[in-house]
Amino acid sequence: MKSTVSRGVAVATAVVLLSAGLSACGADSGGDTVRLGAILPMTGANATYGKPLRQAAELAVNRVNAAGGITVDGRARKVELAVYDDGTAYAKNIPQVFPQAVLRDHVPFLMTAWSTYNVAPLLKANPVPTVDVLAATWQPPVTDLDDHVFLLRPFTPDIIPGVPTYMKKKYKARRIAYIGPDEAFANGQLASLKEAAAKSGSRVVSEVRYPADSTDLSSSVRKALASHPEAIHVGGSTQAVAPLLTQLYQAGSKIPVSMYTGMTPDQARDLIGPGLYGRVMAHVHEFEGVTPQTNPSRAAQQFGKDFKQRYRSYGIDLTQWSYDAVWIAKAAMEKADTVTDKEAISDALRDLTVPSATVTGWRKRGGERLFNKQRQATSLSVAMSWDTAHNTWAPSYYYTAGLPGQTVRRADVTAPDTSATKG
């Protein structure tokens, strides 16, 4: 596979894409350029997420450089983003791409997505501050694996507890059926759902798990419906749930459905079909971290508009966190006054206040800190209903949750108008 190099439009900043096993020239981060590393799934099953993650980080790099770069020891340095493709084959490829980033290219900062469980063991011998924007699961939390891992993304315990709370509030639904592939992300949702349902006075009445490579899901749908649920939660990624939603619709079900995927209106249209997706999605509710379109933060809303103008696509929730990760790297290096001392940069991250250029609207900790003692950041989550008139998501309920107790707290914020963001 060839490497490709693209150039930002606003600022001539190299964004280098490196695939597993590919050799390339290194960069001395102690010179005039600081190379930030990002290990992302640019190919394979999770490439749907890798592309917008890279795009958002690229946009942030361009803006950091336009603002003067990273200033350390009185000298400004340009930022470069090196993207290492893990191919969504983490066990196979991380042992190759991690040494490329850390030992060959000497990156002083890593951004990861999905792969942190495979990256963390390698941090023992070669520690580098690692910001995870897309944790695969939560048992155990990725921040328990190594003290150089920092979690930005609201992960399963931040999202799923809102499902039984919202379903009971909106539909008086207490009996929840679960359907999902037998894989880590989906199974983590099920574990969190069962715990949260018990706490809220609801219960999971059926657990239907199928092999991750299954294509005929009709029997799984029938098993779930046979338990007479009042609501259904479908587990898994965007690609996993799209056929499930279609088959639930084809089975005649009008039971409210919840999911935690990050599926955009564009993806719903493309995966389900332009002539069908509006009807399939009519009873579906998405639970996720706030997107630029649903975020009450004006900075996030403007970022969403800029992202869509630049890339012609709806910015999903994780684009904010990828964008912010670059600004967080800049702030930590400037606080530590180094672009090479990885331990000093890690220490700066632990005590970092929320950088003013970030857009997510982080829920500040004591003393304005970004991360708590477990090195986890917190931002708003949202339950969204499908707006059938505009074929888009409409925010219904904002909240926070998270470990250790997965306690749901409603957030009293004003929802933006999302009717113009149809797919």
Side-chain angles (χ1 to χ4, degrees), residues 124-388:
K124 304 299 181 185
N126 296 285
V128 58
T130 300
V131 170
D132 187 343
V133 298
L134 195 63
T137 187
W138 62 283
Q139 297 173 311
V142 292
T143 49
D144 285 359
L145 302 178
D146 190 274
D147 62 7
H148 296 87
V149 175
F150 298 80
L151 180 63
L152 282 185
R153 187 183 200 261
F155 65 149
T156 301
D158 294 84
I159 307 292
I160 293 297
V163 170
T165 298
Y166 178 77
M167 288 301 189
K168 186 169 70 173
K169 175 182 176 62
K170 184 172 180 65
Y171 297 104
K172 296 182 171 52
R174 298 174 184 269
R175 295 171 53 84
I176 303 173
Y178 171 87
I179 319 174
D182 189 7
E183 51 87 14
F185 180 53
N187 291 340
Q189 291 186 42
L190 174 59
S192 182
L193 179 65
K194 291 168 68 175
E195 183 175 333
K199 288 185 66 173
S200 68
S202 302
R203 67 189 181 100
V204 176
V205 295
S206 65
E207 303 173 21
V208 182
R209 285 184 275 191
Y210 55 85
D213 59 354
S214 295
T215 55
D216 184 1
L217 306 176
S218 56
S219 62
S220 297
V221 168
R222 287 195 299 270
K223 287 178 184 177
L225 293 176
S227 65
H228 304 292
E230 297 165 331
I232 298 171
H233 183 78
V234 292
S237 66
T238 295
Q239 292 90 339
V241 305
L244 263 178
L245 298 177
T246 301
Q247 293 194 32
L248 281 166
Y249 169 79
Q250 291 170 341
S253 174
K254 294 185 179 180
I255 297 170
V257 175
S258 60
M259 62 183 191
Y260 162 34
T261 65
M263 181 186 288
T264 69
D266 291 343
Q267 290 171 331
R269 179 196 62 219
D270 294 343
L271 292 170
I272 297 171
L276 185 62
Y277 81 112
R279 286 170 285 163
V280 170
M281 300 296 290
H283 302 285
V284 178
H285 302 266
E286 166 72 3
F287 291 73
E288 62 184 24
V290 288
T291 68
Q293 293 75 27
T294 60
N295 197 325
S297 162
R298 290 185 179 179
Q301 294 168 29
Q302 185 60 52
F303 163 76
K305 293 175 183 177
D306 295 344
F307 186 90
K308 187 166 187 178
Q309 181 179 18
R310 183 182 180 96
Y311 298 112
R312 301 292 187 266
S313 67
Y314 181 105
I316 56 180
D317 52 3
L318 54 84
T319 58
Q320 301 160 110
W321 310 323
S322 179
Y323 178 88
D324 283 358
V326 174
W327 288 100
I328 289 166
K330 168 182 163 67
M333 290 176 183
E334 292 181 343
K335 180 179 175 65
D337 200 31
T338 180
V339 295
T340 57
D341 188 335
K342 298 168 186 174
E343 289 297 342
I345 296 168
S346 294
D347 288 341
L349 282 169
R350 293 183 183 96
D351 196 40
L352 193 69
T353 56
V354 177
S356 60
T358 58
V359 300
T360 299
W362 301 104
R363 313 299 275 187
K364 297 175 182 178
R365 305 295 182 166
E368 304 292 298
R369 286 185 295 111
L370 173 61
F371 297 104
N372 64 12
K373 292 180 179 179
Q374 291 74 41
R375 303 181 309 285
Q376 296 175 11
T378 299
S379 56
L380 286 174
S381 299
V382 62
M384 299 188 293
S385 304
W386 188 255
D387 179 349
T388 55

Side-chain angles (χ1 to χ4, degrees), residues 6-13 15 54-63 303-313 323:
S6 61
R7 295 280 175 179
V9 174
V11 180
T13 301
V15 181
R54 178 187 60 77
Q55 290 171 330
E58 176 185 0
L59 178 57
V61 165
N62 285 336
R63 290 181 172 179
F303 163 76
K305 293 175 183 177
D306 295 344
F307 186 90
K308 187 166 187 178
Q309 181 179 18
R310 183 182 180 96
Y311 298 112
R312 301 292 187 266
S313 67
Y323 178 88

